[in-house]
Amino acid sequence: MTAVTLKDVCVGKPSYELCYSFIDDERFGAEETIRFSTEQKITELFMHSIDLDIEGAYAIRDETEIKADVGYLPDEEGITLNFAEPISGEIELVLIFSAEYRTDNVGLYKSPYKMDGEDHFCLSTQFEPVDARKAYVCYDMPDLKADFDVSITHKSHLTAVSNGDISSVQVEMGYTTTRFQTVEDMPTYLVAFAVSDWDIAHRMYDGVRVGIYTPRNQLARGMEVFDEMGNILAYFKRIFKLDPKDMWPKIDLIAIPSFDSGAMENHMCVFFRDRCLLLEEGASFAHRQMVRMVVAHEYSHFFHGFLVTMQEWGDLWLNEAFAENLGYACVDSIHPDWKYADKFVNECILSGLKHDVLKTSHPIKVPVEKPRQIDEIFDAITYEKGASIVYMLKTWLGEDKFHEALQLVFKEHGHSNIDGPKLWKCFSTVTGYEIEGLIEPWIMQRGFPAITASIAGHRLVLEQTQMNSDGDERWCIPMRISFDEDERSIMVNHNEEFSIEIPKDTSSIVINVGAAAFCAVKYDKTMEPFLNFGSMSSAELSTFIFCQGLFARYHGFDGYFETLRDVSAFLSTDVVTAVMEHVSAIRVLHSQATVTNNSHLKQRIESTFRSHYTALLKEIGIRETEGESASISDIRAQLISVLASFGDDEVMHYLMTAENVPKYLETIQYKYKVKDDPIVAISLIQDCDDPLKLYPILRGACAGIPTDHFEAFIKHVFEEVPSQHAAGAFAQLTKNLGTYKQMFNYIIDNFDAVAGHISGMVLPRIVEYSAELIHTSEHLEKFIAKFADGIPDSITYAYHNAVEIMECNIKYFDVIREA
């Protein structure tokens, strides 16, 4: 390709004027004007564009129109504009085009939906990472910010919303043209607009008008998080010392009926999957926490994403790692009694370790050579591991210094692009430390350290290797250790064995206090006299339990069961997340014993842990009690779920006979009701037009549907269930012990259809999930053969991860089979 790009030739920043017509029910029309200045003489210009029918293209220079011929380059996701004569100077590039509304939840798409039996639709956009090119012609990369003006002509009974505030509304013959104010310095992927017959509410928070837009008759479900917005804005105002009313006039929160991601941080116009913004009456504590976390995460992107934008997609972590960490921190600050920081450990740090232990994992920063590779890095490494490294740095520096460094980042690089060196330079300026040298190995290397703790004489010795690897990668590890109540900050250096004298009369030692360092800690036998589970916090105990599972899988199973048994004596309502991690570990081991037909191990698990879990459930009660702590529901759900899998009579009787169980138990109840009457699963799904009510029905049905009903059920899910729900259904079917092999085969045999049905960001996860329980060479060989002629760009990492997971399962499940 010899054509230049807009990035190559543009002096300063360009501007886009986008004028859309949504009058036709099947197609949209648009006229676009791109204004830019160039000192070069351009004869051929490459622009990104997919599936847009260009009906006219010309440049205006000095009031003279210069025609452009359009060449289509589908393999390069773009077009070339060949000008009749060279253009230079101040240019207006005009493009007239049309296209069908998409149905795949990317670009500009149309979502029909039912609510209370009535038909509705929503027109909306999803441009991240590189799908703006499916709705307008552009240079669709983050390193050329631009100013945007949007106007939309639509049917007058509908309401349009976009990034900018409304500047004018003109009504003529049943159609309304809504024009929006200019939004400056925005990357193409943050542009957004939507049109529907919303229910709407507005409220002022500290000088910022916050709006909430929901599908019809759903507004009341959005009020709880709407009420929280003042607290969320106040948190970020406090830590960044930036007043939102001086930066953005409005923030709209919009529930989109069909949306594959959890949410999208379109600037001042944030889109959400309905379940990530709306709450049913009586919503579970976990759901109420989650919607707050998602809103806080997306608002954090106003700073990490809009105010400062990554230079390239390989630096996606600069957006997502900070937003993920700060989202949890925001909720924890607003609701300290929820102990949400403990949940961060389970959901981010442990998830990051789980995915990064694979030899086929990737560094946080990765090269991106093709557009569709970008979808794949919206994964646990970018989000959870990235957020964990941010948390480790924040813990080491202290929150005040950490926030002060980010304040300097926004001051020096606001409204521009940023990369790692620019970021770390600001951190070094504020802290006086050489941050880049400390953190870059965590960003540029895959994997994480395994710390072996031992006692030599009167000294504690810490030695690092790379977990699950013979490689020589090493890290500087900032962490804290404690000798009883005496807490110390230490640095375990790259290639040095660390040792420290143990204070006299020490009775317990905790390595990695608060689980802040991203590593796995192994206590060798010399540490046993100092290993006191009762002295560990919930976060520390959760991490210990999880890491024992890693060491069992990769270094040997011996002693793992006994460790889980010993820890169970210390489980209580004081360590909620540790209870949840312990139950998760037992459920995984129970599933592995089941699929390997090790009835002895399965019975041993049930007989050993039933008594511990039953006693804890009896303590908190199988039914909710008035005034109980909200977090108790998290424990109750986990205990009921695992005891049901054990076939506990009391729990099963409760699930099969209770009416109106709490929301957090609905999925579990549906799972077992479907097992008794599988045909009811499809009828329940068919009869439900409320997406919030559909969620537990579908998850429960997928968890419980038996083997002999799989074919009819998956056909219905694929053909009738919206894609945003189908992806979750596919994932759940890979965990169902009766259908996991069938679901694996279905994904392989129908890969192109599955890939076309769910979003590119979700597809890699489904591929990896499908391998989680697969443990035969026959299935592995089938998987490899499927992609022998080429691995799709969108699942390159996922393919190699899935292969490694299955290879490890083949070996590890043989151990489980004989355990």
Side-chain angles (χ1 to χ4, degrees):
M1 185 179 70
T2 58
V4 296
T5 69
L6 190 59
K7 171 69 174 178
D8 296 330
V9 301
C10 186
V11 177
K13 64 179 176 180
S15 68
Y16 292 79
E17 183 178 347
L18 307 174
C19 303
Y20 288 93
S21 173
F22 295 160
I23 293 174
D24 189 272
D25 290 337
E26 303 298 326
R27 295 179 65 87
F28 66 89
E31 181 172 326
E32 172 181 357
T33 303
I34 306 173
R35 297 178 177 88
F36 64 97
S37 176
T38 181
E39 297 173 351
Q40 300 185 33
K41 291 184 177 181
I42 306 169
T43 57
E44 188 178 21
L45 182 66
F46 174 84
M47 299 290 286
H48 292 111
S49 175
I50 297 179
D51 297 336
L52 301 179
D53 297 326
I54 312 297
E55 297 155 7
Y58 58 91
I60 300 175
R61 182 197 60 196
D62 299 331
E63 300 183 358
T64 300
E65 290 188 9
I66 301 170
K67 185 177 182 298
D69 292 329
V70 179
Y72 291 88
L73 301 171
D75 290 344
E76 296 173 29
E77 301 192 354
I79 58 173
T80 54
L81 299 172
N82 296 278
F83 298 100
E85 60 182 81
I87 61 172
S88 186
E90 300 295 326
I91 303 298
E92 290 188 4
L93 179 59
V94 180
L95 300 116
I96 301 166
F97 58 89
S98 64
E100 292 184 356
Y101 297 114
R102 302 182 70 89
T103 59
D104 54 359
N105 292 7
V106 295
L108 171 52
Y109 65 96
K110 187 174 185 177
S111 309
Y113 69 98
K114 283 186 176 292
M115 187 59 68
D116 298 330
E118 295 183 0
D119 291 322
H120 302 268
F121 74 90
C122 174
L123 300 174
S124 58
T125 58
Q126 172 57 28
F127 292 159
E128 188 182 38
V130 285
D131 290 319
R133 61 192 70 179
K134 295 176 179 176
Y136 64 98
V137 180
C138 55
Y139 174 79
D140 196 13
M141 297 299 281
D143 59 338
L144 184 62
K145 290 189 171 186
D147 299 342
F148 288 87
D149 290 275
V150 175
S151 67
I152 299 172
T153 299
H154 53 88
K155 296 176 182 179
S156 291
H157 71 287
L158 305 175
T159 300
V161 62
S162 186
N163 306 92
D165 213 346
I166 293 175
S167 60
S168 70
V169 175
Q170 182 180 351
V171 181
E172 185 175 350
M173 299 183 65
Y175 295 99
T176 296
T177 298
T178 305
R179 292 182 173 83
F180 300 91
Q181 294 177 0
T182 303
V183 179
E184 298 181 350
D185 301 319
M186 188 158 63
T188 52
Y189 77 89
L190 288 180
V191 175
F193 40 87
V195 175
S196 192
D197 53 345
W198 319 99
D199 284 347
I200 305 169
H202 289 99
R203 192 179 296 169
M204 295 299 295
Y205 285 111
D206 197 16
V208 178
R209 192 184 76 251
V210 178
I212 186 166
Y213 293 64
T214 74
R216 298 299 298 273
N217 305 319
Q218 298 294 298
L219 194 60
R221 290 177 166 181
M223 287 298 106
E224 182 171 328
V225 73
F226 198 37
D227 292 341
E228 194 79 277
M229 279 302 296
N231 293 328
I232 293 172
L233 267 62
Y235 171 79
F236 285 97
K237 178 180 178 179
R238 174 174 61 81
I239 67 169
F240 291 152
K241 303 291 190 288
L242 293 170
D243 196 330
K245 71 174 181 292
D246 298 331
M247 305 183 70
W248 23 84
K250 60 101 171 176
I251 301 170
D252 290 324
L253 313 176
I254 302 158
I256 302 295
S258 184
F259 199 73
D260 287 339
S261 300
M264 177 61 211
E265 66 269 18
N266 311 306
H267 187 54
M268 297 191 292
C269 184
V270 186
F271 290 175
F272 296 83
R273 180 186 292 203
D274 39 33
R275 190 174 182 273
C276 293
L277 183 66
L278 309 179
L279 293 164
E280 285 186 274
E281 185 178 353
S284 70
F285 178 52
H287 191 187
R288 292 172 59 225
Q289 288 180 315
M290 183 269 285
V291 295
R292 287 166 167 84
M293 158 57 193
V294 173
V295 173
H297 173 112
E298 302 309 323
Y299 181 61
S300 179
H301 277 307
F302 282 35
F303 305 91
H304 299 277
F306 171 75
L307 188 58
V308 292
T309 306
M310 67 212 159
Q311 186 74 25
E312 58 177 334
W313 283 109
D315 275 327
L316 177 64
W317 66 275
L318 289 168
N319 283 14
E320 300 300 347
F322 282 90
E324 188 79 351
N325 175 261
L326 290 168
Y328 279 89
C330 174
V331 176
D332 188 55
S333 176
I334 295 170
H335 298 283
D337 55 313
W338 289 0
K339 298 181 179 178
Y340 208 58
D342 288 346
K343 188 159 280 193
F344 173 83
V345 171
N346 283 43
E347 295 179 352
C348 281
I349 296 178
L350 303 190
S351 175
L353 293 171
K354 174 185 175 182
H355 289 85
D356 203 34
V357 74
L358 298 173
K359 296 177 182 177
T360 51
S361 177
H362 62 82
I364 293 175
K365 177 180 171 62
V366 293
V368 175
E369 298 175 355
K370 299 178 182 179
R372 297 304 135 190
Q373 290 176 328
I374 302 170
D375 284 337
E376 198 174 11
I377 60 174
F378 286 80
D379 64 0
I381 300 302
T382 298
Y383 281 71
E384 281 90 19
K385 180 183 178 181
S388 301
I389 303 309
V390 170
Y391 178 67
M392 180 172 67
L393 178 63
K394 179 166 62 173
T395 303
W396 181 57
L397 295 177
E399 284 197 349
D400 291 345
K401 284 294 182 184
F402 177 81
H403 294 152
E404 187 182 343
L406 290 179
Q407 292 163 20
L408 183 61
V409 171
F410 301 138
K411 180 180 179 180
E412 293 200 352
H413 302 288
H415 302 287
S416 64
N417 294 91
I418 194 170
D419 57 16
K422 291 178 181 177
L423 175 79
W424 303 131
K425 183 178 179 181
C426 291
F427 270 80
S428 294
T429 299
V430 168
T431 64
Y433 297 121
E434 205 285 291
I435 299 296
E436 185 172 1
L438 170 68
I439 295 298
E440 279 296 288
W442 295 95
I443 305 300
M444 303 302 293
Q445 297 175 177
R446 64 147 290 272
F448 57 87
I451 301 291
T452 300
S454 61
I455 304 297
H458 297 288
R459 300 186 71 81
L460 169 67
V461 179
L462 304 180
E463 185 177 0
Q464 70 162 303
T465 57
Q466 184 176 7
M467 183 70 190
N468 187 33
S469 175
D470 297 326
D472 57 0
E473 286 88 348
R474 298 292 184 270
W475 296 260
C476 284
I477 311 168
M479 65 161 54
R480 292 173 295 164
I481 58 176
S482 68
F483 304 102
D484 295 332
E485 303 299 320
D486 180 8
E487 188 175 306
R488 314 274 184 92
S489 292
I490 64 170
M491 181 73 74
V492 180
N493 289 320
H494 289 87
N495 295 307
E496 298 176 10
E497 180 182 272
F498 176 90
S499 72
I500 187 173
E501 186 171 350
I502 302 171
K504 188 178 179 180
D505 298 329
T506 294
S507 60
S508 68
I509 299 174
V510 175
I511 314 297
N512 196 15
V513 171
F518 191 74
C519 63
V521 177
K522 183 176 184 179
Y523 295 77
D524 83 351
K525 288 189 175 298
T526 62
M527 287 289 298
E528 288 180 0
F530 300 96
L531 189 56
N532 180 358
F533 299 132
S535 68
M536 292 185 180
S537 68
S538 188
E540 293 154 6
L541 195 52
S542 293
T543 306
F544 177 85
I545 293 166
F546 176 84
C547 289
Q548 301 319 297
L550 284 186
F551 289 121
R553 183 175 176 86
Y554 293 102
H555 294 287
F557 186 78
D558 289 351
Y560 179 48
F561 183 92
E562 290 73 20
T563 298
L564 291 175
R565 180 199 61 205
D566 295 344
V567 169
S568 65
F570 295 86
L571 301 178
S572 72
T573 55
D574 293 328
V575 287
V576 172
T577 54
V579 174
M580 297 173 70
E581 184 57 36
H582 191 275
V583 172
S584 176
I586 293 301
R587 291 177 65 180
V588 168
L589 190 57
H590 191 258
S591 296
Q592 292 166 346
T594 301
V595 301
T596 57
N597 298 313
N598 187 337
S599 57
H600 170 72
L601 177 60
K602 184 178 175 182
Q603 292 170 3
R604 188 180 175 204
I605 292 169
E606 293 175 6
S607 62
T608 300
F609 296 102
R610 186 195 301 265
S611 60
H612 292 286
Y613 293 154
T614 301
L616 190 52
L617 182 60
K618 184 176 181 180
E619 178 186 338
I620 64 175
I622 198 168
R623 290 174 172 80
E624 290 184 316
T625 58
E626 187 175 351
E628 72 178 15
S629 167
S631 62
I632 294 299
S633 64
D634 283 341
I635 297 180
R636 182 180 291 111
Q638 291 288 327
L639 293 176
I640 287 177
S641 179
V642 71
L643 288 169
S645 71
F646 290 174
D648 184 89
D649 291 338
E650 182 182 1
V651 167
M652 289 303 300
H653 180 266
Y654 171 68
L655 288 174
M656 300 307 295
T657 61
E659 297 182 4
N660 300 318
V661 297
K663 295 293 180 188
Y664 58 85
L665 292 179
E666 286 182 340
T667 293
I668 304 171
Q669 187 179 57
Y670 282 123
K671 172 181 176 179
Y672 290 99
K673 286 193 172 183
V674 164
K675 277 190 172 181
D676 276 0
D677 187 3
I679 303 302
V680 79
I682 292 177
S683 61
L684 282 170
I685 295 167
Q686 287 175 327
D687 294 342
C688 184
D689 63 7
D690 184 334
L692 266 63
K693 294 184 183 299
L694 177 61
Y695 179 81
I697 294 173
L698 188 60
R699 281 178 59 87
C702 290
I705 202 78
T707 303
D708 54 346
H709 286 266
F710 174 82
E711 293 296 336
F713 183 74
I714 193 65
K715 183 176 186 295
H716 175 76
V717 168
F718 192 86
E719 294 178 355
E720 303 296 334
V721 173
S723 64
Q724 67 168 355
H725 298 296
F730 293 165
Q732 197 67 41
L733 286 164
T734 66
K735 302 174 184 178
N736 181 326
L737 301 187
T739 64
Y740 73 94
K741 290 181 182 178
Q742 291 170 293
M743 192 63 211
F744 175 85
N745 288 326
Y746 182 86
I747 291 172
I748 301 307
D749 295 340
N750 303 277
F751 181 78
D752 290 342
V754 171
H757 190 57
I758 60 178
S759 82
M761 293 184 190
V762 177
L763 180 63
R765 301 179 192 182
I766 299 300
V767 170
E768 288 191 38
Y769 291 154
S770 73
E772 291 284 350
L773 286 170
I774 299 298
H775 57 282
T776 68
S777 297
E778 176 187 359
H779 286 94
L780 173 60
E781 290 166 4
K782 179 177 181 178
F783 184 81
I784 293 172
K786 172 66 180 178
F787 301 105
D789 293 333
I791 304 167
D793 293 340
S794 60
I795 64 160
T796 303
Y797 291 126
Y799 167 84
H800 292 293
N801 288 349
V803 168
E804 184 179 345
I805 289 168
M806 288 185 277
E807 288 175 340
C808 184
N809 283 351
I810 291 169
K811 297 176 182 178
Y812 183 60
F813 280 38
D814 278 347
V815 175
I816 296 295
R817 191 175 287 110
E818 301 300 324

